[in-house]
Amino acid sequence: MSPTKPLVLRGRRGRDGGSAPAATPADTEYVLRPRLAPHVVVHEPAEAGTPWIVQAGQKYLRVGADMGRLLEALDGERDHEGLARRLGAPWTASDVEKAVAQLQRTRLLDDGSEHRPKGTWFKYVPPMTLQFTVLKPQWLLDRMMPLIGRLATPAGAVAAAVLALGGVIALALQTPALARSLGEPLPIAILFAVTAATFATTGLHELGHGAALAYYGGRPSRMGFMLFYMTPAFFCDVSDGWRLPRREQRTRIALAGIVVQLVVGGTAAVSALVVGRAGGASTLYDAMVVFAVSTYVSGVLNLVPFVKFDGYLALMSHLDISHLRDRAMTDARRAVARVLFGGTYARELPRLPWAVPFGLVCMVFPLYLVGVAATLWADILQSLGVLGTVLVVAAVCYLLYRLGLGARRLLEEARRAGARPWRTGVVSVLIAAAVIALTAFVKVPYTVVGGFVRDGDRIELVLAETSDVDVIGKGTEVRLQRRGVVLRTDVGTGVVTDGTPRSGTAPLSAFLPVREVDDLPMPVVSFPLRAEEAPSENYGMAYVEVGSRPVGEWLFLTYVAPTWR
């Protein structure tokens, strides 16, 4: 095999990695007699047939055997001719020179500058993750190894499966009570307790990754708190798993956190069944059920391979293909560019016939997640006033940024592939025209979201001060709902009897699925209602459907106009 074949370095950074940045040329002395940078460590294959691993701080690179032997020989004592003689056939001085040039670009060589290790207490992971290291978990896992060894047995696997499946059965046996718990507001103290328990479970989830890595002989480097797309969560850096010789080990490490979640969710579901059968406190039962369901849903969502969740990391580890998602999206982008703009494109993953459809789903699925989140939470956030509106606007701006970035990458692919400029221009204009036509002529339902307050026979529609009150008038119909943490139920209808808005306050329960918060009022504008079908609840959500609007106008009214109302 020619020594130039394995010179391609495939990077691993964090749990999915990224390519190394370009480097400035080193001084001539270090080019002629190259040596590794002080922070670089070369790990020989742990087993026959596995790749060499180059560790540069928190970054891991996989290289072939020829490159691995060259890296070991870079001690600064030999020039290119001497290195070629040391390595033997088929290496030549020209091959060494090419390899050294590549190693310079990946910043693995000593260039004479002082290397200062980057701090690991704070790290930004593109595109939108901030990590704050809290502890180095190895000392904790060292003390837990006896327990980890007992759990990592066939008996432990059977027990985990029984709890996970038993929890699903337990939830199925309490379906009516389950619907009630998920479809009714919870006391705010219980909601906070469920949130805290969920947050603690994510910590156990990450510790599960670290424990699996430690069991196989790796060393998790750090563990802490992160903002993942502005959502708080824990993390555990198990990058050291790339040094393990077998891909099934890395796959198990990726799935270990999900196993922990399913076991915790199953335990909560079985416990809820016991409490319910024993006639325990309803609030405790509701909290256990909501926590069990949310934990199961989170665990299943983590299995989705189309975003950088654990399911994707497990798939990438099982296939042993670095940067699987990024490379599949590149193939998908090039396939789209070929259809739209023409040109000649190379495949990143030619051996995977499903790479293009997989990449297309990976590109679209984040938009689907944003849409689901918007369906569940955007109306609540907007009903909370300025703060909620700003959060929704920030999310929409980020989504538009990602769409624009995707369009730019598509055009760059076409340019590099030799697409004809006139065709690129014409197709781009046609796409832009189609988008403008969509926003101008296609209509969607426009809804104003608020709440209702009932005091005896008097019912009022209450809206946040940022709501579009101009569309509310005498005779406007209003749909009233009970909203739980997950489910919604229609509880009545009403008609506005006076179109003049009045300022006042309303409890938070009118806008969030919580109760027992009468002492937490928020400023609102209100309209009196005549109940066509009176609700039994004192507070709930209200939906005012005021016809249809073109997509562009709907986007403006829903996401932009509230910022200055």
Side-chain angles (χ1 to χ4, degrees):
M1 177 184 297
S2 169
T4 60
K5 288 294 185 181
L7 298 187
V8 175
L9 301 178
R10 294 183 292 167
R12 307 280 197 178
R13 175 165 45 207
R15 292 163 77 175
D16 186 33
S19 59
T24 57
D27 293 337
T28 303
E29 175 185 353
Y30 294 96
V31 174
L32 295 179
R33 297 183 182 274
R35 66 183 176 192
L36 289 181
H39 66 290
V40 175
V41 180
V42 180
H43 301 281
E44 294 187 8
E47 292 183 0
T50 59
W52 291 59
I53 303 295
V54 182
Q55 181 181 354
Q58 299 298 315
K59 180 175 62 179
Y60 290 77
L61 304 171
R62 304 177 70 184
V63 301
D66 288 331
M67 178 63 83
R69 292 192 300 112
L70 172 62
L71 288 166
E72 280 195 325
L74 298 180
D75 55 7
E77 299 296 329
R78 301 175 180 85
D79 60 11
H80 297 171
E81 290 285 355
L83 288 168
R85 287 194 298 269
R86 162 77 183 273
L87 295 171
W91 282 97
T92 66
S94 175
D95 293 328
V96 172
E97 182 179 359
K98 293 177 183 177
V100 168
Q102 184 175 5
L103 293 173
Q104 283 180 264
R105 291 192 294 271
T106 55
R107 292 186 176 177
L108 297 179
L109 298 185
D110 188 352
D111 60 1
S113 61
E114 181 181 356
H115 174 73
R116 295 182 180 180
K118 295 182 179 179
T120 58
W121 295 104
F122 168 78
K123 185 177 182 181
Y124 169 66
V125 181
M128 203 172 175
T129 300
L130 301 176
Q131 296 181 343
F132 305 89
T133 300
V134 176
L135 57 87
K136 307 292 185 180
Q138 190 60 45
W139 65 270
L140 174 62
L141 294 172
D142 287 342
R143 287 160 177 76
M144 291 176 59
M145 281 308 298
L147 175 61
I148 295 172
R150 293 189 183 95
L151 294 176
T153 61
V158 170
V162 168
L163 279 173
L165 294 176
V168 174
I169 296 173
L171 291 176
L173 292 175
Q174 41 193 330
T175 300
L178 180 65
R180 178 187 60 78
S181 298
L182 298 178
E184 292 187 355
L186 293 176
I188 193 167
I190 294 298
L191 193 60
F192 276 126
V194 171
T195 302
T198 301
F199 195 60
T201 301
T202 63
L204 293 176
H205 171 114
E206 296 302 325
L207 194 62
H209 291 303
L213 175 60
Y215 176 76
Y216 287 118
R219 297 181 65 85
S221 58
R222 57 199 182 95
M223 185 173 177
F225 170 81
M226 71 176 175
L227 294 175
F228 181 73
Y229 290 87
M230 304 313 295
T231 301
F234 285 103
F235 75 91
C236 183
D237 191 337
V238 292
S239 302
D240 199 50
W242 293 116
R243 291 200 300 111
L244 298 178
R246 294 190 294 277
R247 58 185 179 180
E248 60 266 22
Q249 295 173 327
R250 297 190 293 274
T251 303
R252 291 166 186 164
I253 292 170
L255 295 175
I258 297 176
V259 172
V260 170
Q261 277 189 288
L262 296 180
V263 169
V264 172
T267 302
V270 172
S271 300
L273 180 63
V274 173
V275 170
R277 292 289 189 266
S282 176
T283 53
L284 174 61
Y285 174 81
D286 291 343
M288 296 174 74
V289 166
V290 172
F291 171 66
V293 171
S294 65
T295 303
Y296 269 117
V297 171
S298 177
V300 172
L301 183 61
N302 254 307
L303 285 171
V304 174
F306 307 119
V307 285
K308 290 183 180 179
F309 293 159
D310 293 341
Y312 162 70
L313 299 172
L315 176 63
M316 181 180 65
S317 298
H318 174 70
L319 297 175
D320 203 27
I321 299 176
S322 66
H323 306 86
L324 172 66
R325 184 172 179 270
D326 291 341
R327 295 163 74 180
M329 287 193 296
T330 297
D331 280 348
R333 211 165 32 242
R334 290 173 179 174
V336 173
R338 182 188 300 110
V339 172
L340 294 177
F341 309 118
T344 303
Y345 302 83
R347 287 283 299 272
E348 286 284 324
L349 300 170
R351 297 183 180 180
L352 294 183
W354 46 267
V356 170
F358 178 77
L360 288 172
V361 178
C362 288
M363 295 166 66
V364 173
F365 195 78
L367 304 180
Y368 169 75
L369 288 181
V370 171
V372 171
T375 301
L376 293 175
W377 296 106
D379 53 357
I380 291 181
L381 288 173
Q382 289 180 325
S383 67
L384 294 180
V386 176
L387 177 60
T389 299
V390 168
L391 291 175
V392 172
V393 169
V396 172
C397 289
Y398 178 74
L399 179 60
L400 293 176
Y401 162 75
R402 298 298 297 180
L403 289 172
L405 185 62
R408 190 188 75 179
R409 289 176 175 172
L410 187 67
L411 292 174
E412 289 176 349
E413 291 284 0
R415 179 180 57 81
R416 286 193 295 265
R420 296 179 179 179
W422 68 265
R423 178 172 174 178
T424 301
V426 169
V427 172
S428 298
V429 169
L430 291 176
I431 292 175
V435 172
I436 293 173
L438 172 69
T439 58
F441 300 110
V442 176
K443 293 186 176 183
V444 293
Y446 178 48
T447 302
V448 177
V449 181
F452 72 86
V453 176
R454 182 177 71 87
D455 184 7
D457 294 332
R458 183 169 61 88
I459 303 177
E460 288 188 335
L461 167 67
V462 293
L463 302 172
E465 294 177 318
T466 57
S467 298
D468 188 0
V469 298
D470 295 336
V471 297
I472 309 296
K474 184 177 180 180
T476 300
E477 296 183 354
V478 181
R479 181 161 48 95
L480 310 178
Q481 282 192 343
R482 179 197 308 122
R483 175 155 190 173
V485 178
V486 177
L487 304 178
R488 307 177 185 182
T489 305
D490 288 337
V491 295
T493 57
V495 176
V496 175
T497 59
D498 185 354
T500 304
R502 292 175 292 182
S503 299
T505 61
L508 198 60
S509 298
F511 301 97
L512 293 178
V514 295
R515 62 176 188 261
E516 301 175 9
V517 288
D518 293 352
D519 55 345
L520 294 176
M522 61 176 294
V524 298
V525 291
S526 63
F527 299 86
L529 291 178
R530 181 183 73 252
E532 299 290 323
E533 182 181 349
S536 58
E537 288 83 357
N538 292 329
Y539 311 108
M541 301 290 292
Y543 295 84
V544 185
E545 297 172 354
V546 288
S548 298
R549 301 288 189 276
V551 171
E553 183 182 352
W554 178 85
L555 290 171
F556 175 81
L557 293 173
T558 303
Y559 298 115
V560 180
T563 58
W564 61 69
R565 286 191 187 121

